[in-house]
Amino acid sequence: MKKNKTYFICQTCGYKTPKWVGRCSECGSWNSFVEEIEVKKETIKSVEKVELKRLDEVEGVEVERYSSGIKEFDQVLGGGVVKGGVVLIGGEPGIGKSTVMLQISYYMGNKGKKVFYFSGEESLPQLRIRSERLNLTKGDVFFSATNSFEAIYDILQRKRPDVAVIDSIQTIYSDELNSAAGTVSQVKFVTHKLVEVAKKNGISIFIIGQVTKDGVIAGPKVLEHLVDTVLYFEGDYERGLRILRAVKNRFGSTNEIGIFEMSEYGLVEYTNKALVDEDEGASGRAITVVMEGSRAFLVEIQALVSHTYFNYPRRNVTGFDLNRLNMLLAILEKKCGFNLSSCDVYLNVVGGLKITEPSVDLAVCAAVISSFKDIPLEQSIVFLGEVGLTGEIRTPFSMNLRVKEAKRYGFKKIIAKMNDISDFDVEVININNINELVNYI
């Protein structure tokens, strides 16, 4: 009898090796290799004939969309749920992935859509308890608690629902593979088959995925390439805020975000977009406006600068790039003469947002200077601008939208570099260099 051939595969990146090793040579993760049995593929006997066309010869097809019942969710998707699209949703445990999918399932079920919810983590009684807690008791939604992919695939082929939810992909396994549920082989195979049945039958499928300790969806990166849309939930657990961000979207922009608030009835749209603390008179606080897609958000930057007696001062950030903070600190030392090399610097973005655009540089510098000098900043000021290595201030894009958002919340003064300030009905303090900001503070 011929012996089955086995190999070891990294559960982080999918790298294969004939023997077990402690550290993956591709991604560097430790103790991530799992032994799996190799499955030989059948030899392809016939070759499918492929037709070549120019794009101007292809007939245009309009994407069919329908609402999920949550405006913020629809905006992140690019306008609504796409028929036949596959959406992968990731996030930390307890952040609200299953909760929001239950809400969306009941809404679409009540709007005449045939919705199937497959749960591999919770039993049917547990799902009923969760639904009753969310006040979701009436709705044309069908549930199944199963881990068998063959059973799910058979139901999707025969019943052909409009929407299907898989919760979660790491708990579903196929009998065609000998590996355990959640391994790279199982996740890749099941996701590939789900995409296949979605495109063939026009089923919108939502796949919930668990995340690793690094905050990425567990499994190989190819999992994200198979689906049409990848969404990530980020959260500020203390304030109950949840931020839904698209990192891939074949049917819309990846610049949009949705902000939710956790309530006793599930996730609701966050109406107050000003992520600003109400505490006044404290040093180390600066207000700025960031752009996420086509929307502007008022955000507070907090900094704490304190002298340290250790040889290596700490630099700790939340929601901001650590390397960019180090660059801004170096600019303040070189151009403004601040001795920050003997200080610990902590930086925080209020509300759980993760900011990547450089337009908040001026607010970061203002917060650091305010904390270092222990001088509270005026609460009616908004700082807008990018700081260059030579200390110059640059004007950020979409200045009209930023100023309009600041005015909407009652801010009367803008500190930025503006060549034409006649178009803005606010007091503008025009600065060209970082030293001018220091003199003003």
Side-chain angles (χ1 to χ4, degrees), residues 31 50 82 100 109 128 138 141 167 183 224 239 245 258 299 303 338 365 369 388 392 435:
N31 300 324
V50 179
V82 177
V100 74
R128 177 166 182 173
K138 295 181 180 179
V141 182
D167 184 13
T183 58
E224 299 184 2
R239 298 182 59 176
R245 190 185 303 272
V299 175
F338 291 110
C365 292
I369 296 171
E392 81 278 9
N435 287 300

Side-chain angles (χ1 to χ4, degrees), residues 146-440:
T146 179
N147 300 102
S148 174
F149 170 72
E150 279 69 28
I152 296 174
Y153 189 82
D154 178 66
I155 292 176
L156 294 179
Q157 288 278 41
R158 289 188 295 105
K159 302 291 185 180
R160 295 189 178 183
D162 298 305
V163 180
V165 180
I166 311 296
D167 184 13
S168 65
I169 190 64
Q170 280 81 13
T171 62
I172 308 301
Y173 68 90
S174 173
D175 293 332
E176 295 188 24
L177 303 178
N178 295 319
S179 54
T183 58
V184 170
S185 300
Q186 287 282 2
V187 170
K188 286 173 58 178
F189 178 81
V190 171
T191 305
H192 177 75
K193 287 294 185 180
L194 287 174
V195 173
E196 182 182 285
V197 72
K199 303 302 181 185
K200 183 179 179 181
N201 300 302
I203 305 173
S204 301
I205 297 181
F206 291 89
I207 301 174
I208 297 176
Q210 302 170 5
V211 297
T212 63
K213 61 182 180 179
D214 297 324
V216 297
I217 295 178
K221 208 65 178 175
V222 70
L223 180 64
E224 299 184 2
H225 297 302
L226 291 174
V227 300
D228 299 313
T229 306
V230 180
L231 308 179
Y232 276 99
F233 264 113
E234 306 166 1
D236 182 357
Y237 288 93
E238 294 182 0
R239 298 182 59 176
L241 293 182
R242 304 291 188 268
I243 300 171
L244 184 64
R245 190 185 303 272
V247 297
K248 173 188 176 182
N249 193 354
R250 290 174 179 165
F251 305 108
S253 172
T254 57
N255 294 324
E256 301 292 346
I257 69 168
I259 299 184
F260 305 87
E261 188 174 12
M262 182 62 74
S263 68
E264 58 180 334
Y265 298 114
L267 291 178
V268 296
E269 298 175 58
Y270 187 64
T271 55
N272 182 17
K273 298 295 191 306
L275 303 178
V276 177
D277 200 346
E278 297 180 355
D279 184 24
E280 297 184 1
S283 61
R285 301 172 63 243
I287 310 300
T288 186
V289 181
V290 299
M291 296 295 299
E292 290 288 351
S294 59
R295 293 186 294 177
F297 293 92
L298 211 62
V299 175
E300 178 181 318
I301 306 295
Q302 295 181 343
L304 175 62
V305 181
S306 61
H307 288 279
T308 181
Y309 297 99
F310 298 99
N311 293 330
Y312 300 98
R314 297 194 62 182
R315 303 286 188 262
N316 200 338
V317 297
T318 303
F320 193 72
D321 184 27
L322 178 59
N323 293 327
R324 191 157 193 87
L325 173 63
N326 291 328
M327 183 195 76
L328 295 175
L329 296 179
I331 295 173
L332 291 176
E333 286 196 1
K334 179 70 174 180
K335 302 298 179 180
C336 304
F338 291 110
N339 184 18
L340 299 173
S341 59
S342 61
C343 297
D344 294 334
V345 179
Y346 301 88
L347 192 74
N348 176 50
V349 179
V350 175
L353 278 177
K354 292 183 179 179
I355 300 177
T356 57
E357 62 167 323
S359 64
V360 301
D361 289 352
L362 197 63
V364 171
C365 292
V368 170
I369 296 171
S370 172
S371 179
F372 182 75
K373 293 292 186 180
D374 199 19
I375 302 175
L377 300 174
E378 297 178 49
Q379 297 303 305
S380 60
I381 297 181
V382 172
F383 298 87
L384 298 172
E386 177 185 352
V387 180
L389 290 177
T390 59
E392 81 278 9
I393 308 299
R394 299 171 183 169
T395 306
F397 66 93
S398 301
M399 183 61 79
N400 288 320
L401 293 177
R402 298 175 194 265
V403 175
K404 184 178 179 181
E405 183 70 8
K407 287 173 57 180
R408 189 162 73 92
Y409 284 96
F411 289 86
K412 304 176 182 178
K413 191 179 295 184
I414 305 293
I415 295 183
K417 180 181 180 180
M418 298 185 185
N419 297 324
D420 187 7
I421 62 176
S422 59
D423 297 336
F424 304 102
D425 188 21
V426 292
E427 181 183 355
V428 177
I429 300 177
N430 197 359
I431 62 175
N432 298 309
N433 194 279
I434 190 66
N435 287 300
E436 297 180 26
L437 173 67
V438 176
N439 295 332
Y440 175 84

Side-chain angles (χ1 to χ4, degrees), residues 101-172:
M101 288 317 306
L102 273 176
Q103 294 176 246
I104 292 173
S105 298
Y106 272 97
Y107 175 84
M108 291 190 291
N110 291 329
K111 292 297 181 179
K113 301 295 182 182
K114 187 189 295 184
V115 182
F116 291 174
Y117 194 107
F118 301 97
S119 177
E121 298 181 348
E122 296 178 284
S123 63
L124 293 181
Q126 289 175 318
L127 287 171
R128 177 166 182 173
I129 294 173
R130 181 196 288 264
S131 299
E132 290 176 349
R133 178 171 56 84
L134 299 174
N135 200 21
L136 302 173
T137 55
K138 295 181 180 179
D140 196 13
V141 182
F142 299 91
F143 293 89
S144 175
T146 179
N147 300 102
S148 174
F149 170 72
E150 279 69 28
I152 296 174
Y153 189 82
D154 178 66
I155 292 176
L156 294 179
Q157 288 278 41
R158 289 188 295 105
K159 302 291 185 180
R160 295 189 178 183
D162 298 305
V163 180
V165 180
I166 311 296
D167 184 13
S168 65
I169 190 64
Q170 280 81 13
T171 62
I172 308 301

